[in-house]
Amino acid sequence: MAVGLTHDTFTESAYITIAEFKNAPTSIDYNNLVIGGNGNAQDAELQNVILRASSFMNEYFNANLNATEYVETQRTRFTNDGFVALHPNNSPIIALSDFKYGPNPNNLVTLADCDNAWFEEQQIIIPLSNVATSYSSQGPLAFGGYGTPRQQIFCLYTYVAGYVNNAITTGTAGASSITVANATGIVPSQTLKISDASSSENVTVASNYTYGSTTVPLTSALVYSHTTGSTIGNIPSAIKQACILMTTAFLKARGDSSMTMQITTAPAGTSDGASRYGTDIKLALDIVDKYRRIR
């Protein structure tokens, strides 16, 4: 018997890199996470903790805020004023790369050009003039024309949503471009920040950037050189700070005994372990509460 499979996808990724955590003033001992392990083993486990902390934040957000490509399905209807409105599960929406639609799930056709879609933070609007609304058993008979208001339509679409937060591969001082590990979410004329400790700087993507390319031209030359471990993006700094606090809390919960700098009103020495890492979690969630999605 054939099995029906979902088309929907969801992935998770870390909000900070190992280097970003190590550069933060946490006073946490991250060199003894694996007993007897070498530096690579310690970094691998630290990366695992960062991923778990990021996943915890995603559960709180009810979303993944890193720019990610998703595939989703949705039933909707033509609006009375002549549009197809899509409401993806993730935001802010950056791009629509593929849109299939039809009167039933087994009769979907592909929109020829996604460039005319209108983007809002939490929805995508497609003009009816771009959608074929006369169907046969083989698909659409014609493009354009006026569709039936409130007619049900099945949709399968691929889109990108979230904030850019990508790892840098190479970036040399004086160069007018930078290469990234992946280009998800980067668009022309976008202002991004390179997070690289004291060498952090803001850059603007050139208007001639080709969407999807891992080589990103810039409007001006880089001031500093950047190596693996630094990131480029427009993700709010509050999200990165929250992930640092969350990772710190997870490391404390593992039994860390290093010196820690507390944010508490309790007298020195009176806070137990649960209070110490609990305070970091609460502070982290307070910082990013505005990004929480209520479904």
Side-chain angles (χ1 to χ4, degrees), residues 235-287:
I235 191 166
S237 298
I239 294 174
K240 285 185 175 286
Q241 181 59 43
C243 191
I244 291 170
L245 288 167
M246 194 68 65
T247 302
T248 300
F250 280 25
L251 291 175
K252 290 178 184 177
R254 293 164 62 99
D256 176 78
S257 59
S258 63
M259 180 188 73
T260 58
M261 297 179 291
Q262 293 302 303
I263 301 177
T264 178
T265 58
T270 62
S271 298
D272 59 20
S275 297
R276 288 196 300 120
Y277 62 74
T279 298
D280 285 334
I281 292 176
K282 183 179 185 307
L283 180 59
L285 298 184
D286 285 346
I287 289 173

Side-chain angles (χ1 to χ4, degrees), residues 135-216:
Y135 295 96
S136 71
S137 60
Q138 302 302 313
L141 295 175
F143 284 84
Y146 188 80
T148 304
R150 310 308 300 164
Q151 177 184 348
Q152 180 171 261
I153 182 173
F154 288 81
C155 304
L156 170 64
Y157 55 100
T158 303
Y159 71 102
V160 174
Y163 297 99
V164 178
N165 186 28
N166 302 336
I168 291 174
T169 303
T170 56
T172 305
S176 57
S177 67
I178 195 167
T179 59
V180 293
N182 76 82
T184 305
I186 298 176
V187 298
S189 303
Q190 191 177 42
T191 298
L192 304 173
K193 178 182 180 180
I194 296 176
S195 298
D196 189 12
S198 60
S199 297
S200 296
E201 57 182 306
N202 293 325
V203 297
T204 300
V205 180
S207 59
N208 64 344
Y209 169 67
T210 301
Y211 181 77
S213 173
T214 54
T215 299
V216 183

Side-chain angles (χ1 to χ4, degrees), residues 29-39 41-43 45 254-255:
D29 179 10
Y30 44 74
N31 294 314
N32 196 33
L33 302 177
V34 179
I35 303 301
N38 59 19
Q42 305 300 341
D43 282 352
E45 182 55 23
R254 293 164 62 99

